[in-house]
Each structure stands twice: as C-alpha cells, then as structure tokens.
Amino acid sequence: MRRVAQVIRLRPEHAAEYERVHGEVWPTVLATLRRHHVRNYSIFRHGDLLFSYLEHTGDDYEADMAAIAADPETQRWWQVTDPMQEPVPEAAEGEWWHMLPEVFHLD
C-alpha cells in the first residue's frame, strides 16, 4: 500500500462552495476512485490550505492516477472544483496538488 499526502491552496472566496460540493461528491467519481484502488481518502482544510491523504492499494499508482484523470465524470468534477483551487508556491511546474514527503509513520 502507498500512502499519499498532498496540499493545494483553496481560494478563500470559494471555501463554502468547496465544502458544499464535497458534502455531495458524485457517486460516479467515488466509484472511479474505488475502481482504481483509492482507499481511506480524506481532504482536510486549515484556513486556505487543503491537505489530502489517501491510500493506494493497487500495483501501479501512476497507471491508476492516469485512468482516474481520463475518466469523463472525474474531468467534469474537476471542472467544478479546479477553479476553487490553486497550486501552493512550492508546487513543481505542472503540479496541481503538491506531493508531500512522509517523515513519520506509526502502524
């Protein structure tokens, strides 16, 4: 299993709407995540910083993430949520959600 932690900036003027839409995530988007081995997925908010954590239980993380990104319903979902976000300053060129290194883990 691979643990993934990421951050992105939430545009403050969209905070209420972001939380509203995530209270009603489309079932097709959730099914796509599950189909591609995403488990235990959470997004937390601290001010205008969003922190996500997920566990990938498949054998090929990159292939599963590419399949999720290719899903038409997921693309529609991102059309709703992407305008509410912007990469953090530390993000690499082309990186949307910024990957965080794991520095500690306790099982």
Side-chain angles (χ1 to χ4, degrees):
M1 180 199 51
R2 178 178 180 166
R3 290 180 297 277
V4 177
Q6 302 172 306
V7 292
I8 197 165
R9 184 177 174 278
L10 175 64
R11 296 177 191 270
E13 65 272 20
H14 295 292
E17 180 65 3
Y18 189 86
E19 289 187 10
R20 186 192 70 74
V21 300
H22 279 83
E24 304 170 355
V25 178
W26 305 340
T28 52
V29 170
L30 298 175
T32 297
L33 291 169
R34 288 184 185 105
R35 187 168 51 256
H36 295 287
H37 309 106
V38 173
R39 304 291 184 273
N40 197 23
Y41 184 18
S42 298
I43 299 174
F44 300 89
R45 182 168 77 89
H46 178 70
D48 67 353
L49 186 68
L50 297 173
F51 168 81
S52 76
Y53 173 83
L54 65 87
E55 295 170 353
H56 178 258
T57 59
D59 296 324
D60 192 338
Y61 176 79
E62 288 75 20
D64 280 329
M65 294 304 108
I68 291 167
D71 174 65
E73 282 294 290
T74 300
Q75 290 173 3
R76 261 188 356 106
W77 175 257
W78 289 344
Q79 287 175 353
V80 171
T81 60
D82 281 4
M84 300 178 198
Q85 306 165 334
E86 64 184 12
V88 295
E90 300 83 4
E93 181 75 26
E95 184 180 43
W96 190 245
W97 280 80
H98 178 59
M99 297 287 281
L100 300 175
E102 183 175 315
V103 297
F104 175 78
H105 177 79
L106 171 67
D107 270 329

